[in-house]
Amino acid sequence: MILDTAIERLEDELGITCFVHARDLDRRLREPDSAAVGVREDEPVVTASVFKLPVLVEACIRMSTGEVPAERRIVLGPEDFPVEGSTGLAVFSDAVSVSFRDLCLSMMTVSDNRATDVVMDILGRARVNARMRELGLTSTVIEGDCRHLFDTAAADLADLDPPVAYDSADAGAHWLKTRTLDPGRTNRSTPAETTTLLAALWRDEGLPASACAEARRILGLQVWSHRLRRGFSDEVTVSGKTGTLPYIRNEAGVVEFPDGGRYAVAVFLRTPSPRSIGPRFDDAITDLAAAAVADLRSVRPLTR
């Protein structure tokens, strides 16, 4: 298997731990035994910002039923929902008025933490978790919004002896002691459940068709192209969501080929470094996604 070889090489070279799953969205009935590949696909993983995918699913369902109108206007000032983040509303200085639909767009396309927390405040965390249980995704759990993740990490670092400041240069390795990076106590899923959720969106299964269409539209607009996207040629469409925390680097999405082949892919990495910028780890996601899809298509992956 190309995926097995890639994982062995990358884990040895980079000191990472890989959790990967990919499924052929159209081969499930004809050849069920060859419809998926994976490694550690049922183990719990820290989702980081990939947790925004279940939030998006619930948001799109509510918009489709009219319970939360897509055009509902939300006015936000600099003091509202303060949260860590370097994109979108999280770095705005002035008040804005934005629709609920566009908050969801910012949440996914630029991983806007502030927009995410506003969306979650409207939806309710319990409702998102209940939706995942209805879909049979019992290992996909949201413990809190973005503010919760960072506040929890800050509290755990402050409780160390001696305490470590959240924003200090010494915080790095201590992140491993926080609940935020514990897959049993933070926002979590498994690679297999992540691709199951993506499959439901692309097959219109168990969810309103209009909600699925809106989720697909938004996921197709993600601006980051340095992980999954680079593993495939220009004529291939890639829709997805990244996730990054210290020691965590993820992406999950759907890859669609001109010949009609569609593949849901989820790659979650534990890395040996807390750095947010790590091109070699991004390359690993590229290689693993390409290898997994190549196994399903029985062709060699595109070489960079």
Side-chain angles (χ1 to χ4, degrees):
M1 297 283 283
I2 301 172
L3 177 60
D4 292 338
T5 301
I7 286 179
E8 183 178 359
R9 173 178 62 83
L10 291 166
E11 290 192 340
D12 181 61
E13 288 180 3
L14 302 180
I16 59 178
T17 304
C18 307
F19 306 80
V20 183
H21 193 251
R23 66 175 76 239
D24 186 329
L25 300 185
D26 302 296
R27 206 192 302 174
R28 63 193 188 280
L29 297 179
R30 298 195 303 275
E31 303 171 69
D33 291 340
S34 60
V37 295
V39 174
R40 304 185 184 100
E41 66 268 26
D42 294 318
E43 294 188 24
V45 292
V46 176
T47 48
S49 282
V50 176
F51 91 84
K52 297 167 186 177
L53 176 59
V55 177
L56 176 68
V57 171
E58 180 64 18
C60 288
I61 292 172
R62 302 274 198 96
M63 286 189 284
S64 73
T65 63
E67 183 177 346
V68 181
E71 65 277 9
R72 172 179 169 180
R73 305 299 298 183
I74 297 101
V75 177
L76 299 169
E79 71 284 356
D80 295 319
F81 300 94
V83 65
E84 294 286 338
S86 58
T87 60
L89 301 178
V91 294
F92 280 20
S93 300
D94 302 309
V96 296
S97 173
V98 61
S99 71
F100 181 76
R101 172 170 43 214
D102 286 342
L103 279 175
C104 294
L105 184 75
S106 192
M107 172 178 73
M108 302 305 289
T109 58
V110 297
S111 205
D112 184 337
N113 288 344
R114 191 176 182 203
T116 302
D117 287 5
V118 177
V119 170
M120 283 194 65
D121 187 62
I122 293 170
L123 297 177
R125 179 175 66 90
R127 291 281 296 275
V128 180
N129 284 330
R131 184 75 62 183
M132 294 302 104
R133 292 194 297 271
E134 288 175 10
L135 294 171
L137 305 179
T138 57
S139 295
T140 300
V141 179
I142 296 177
E143 296 287 352
D145 59 11
C146 298
R147 180 74 270 163
H148 168 83
L149 294 179
F150 291 109
D151 283 350
T152 298
D156 290 347
L157 291 169
D159 285 343
L160 296 176
D161 186 16
V164 177
Y166 171 81
D167 56 354
S168 73
D170 298 326
H174 294 290
W175 268 84
L176 294 170
K177 305 171 186 176
T178 68
R179 286 166 285 174
T180 302
L181 296 193
D182 181 349
R185 297 186 294 168
T186 191
N187 294 351
R188 57 192 178 272
S189 186
T190 69
E193 286 201 358
T194 302
T195 62
T196 297
L197 184 57
L198 289 166
L201 290 176
W202 259 256
R203 295 174 182 163
D204 295 344
E205 289 182 348
L207 301 168
S210 59
C212 292
E214 179 65 358
R216 293 194 299 266
R217 180 187 76 85
I218 291 174
L219 285 163
L221 295 173
Q222 180 186 230
V223 302
W224 315 128
S225 60
H226 57 300
R227 294 180 187 173
L228 288 186
R229 167 71 268 177
R230 290 189 305 121
F232 305 95
S233 57
D234 289 347
E235 67 270 17
V236 176
T237 299
V238 179
S239 307
K241 181 70 196 77
T242 58
T244 308
L245 281 170
Y247 299 99
I248 301 294
R249 194 164 299 258
N250 311 324
E251 186 162 6
V254 171
V255 180
E256 301 177 82
F257 285 75
D259 63 9
R262 305 182 301 168
Y263 308 88
V265 185
V267 180
F268 297 86
L269 302 183
R270 277 267 181 174
T271 77
S273 169
R275 291 174 56 86
S276 60
I277 298 174
R280 295 180 71 198
F281 304 133
D282 294 333
D283 288 348
I285 292 178
T286 302
D287 293 345
L288 291 167
V293 172
D295 276 334
L296 292 174
R297 290 175 66 82
S298 299
V299 296
R300 293 192 61 80
L302 186 73
T303 57
R304 293 198 309 277

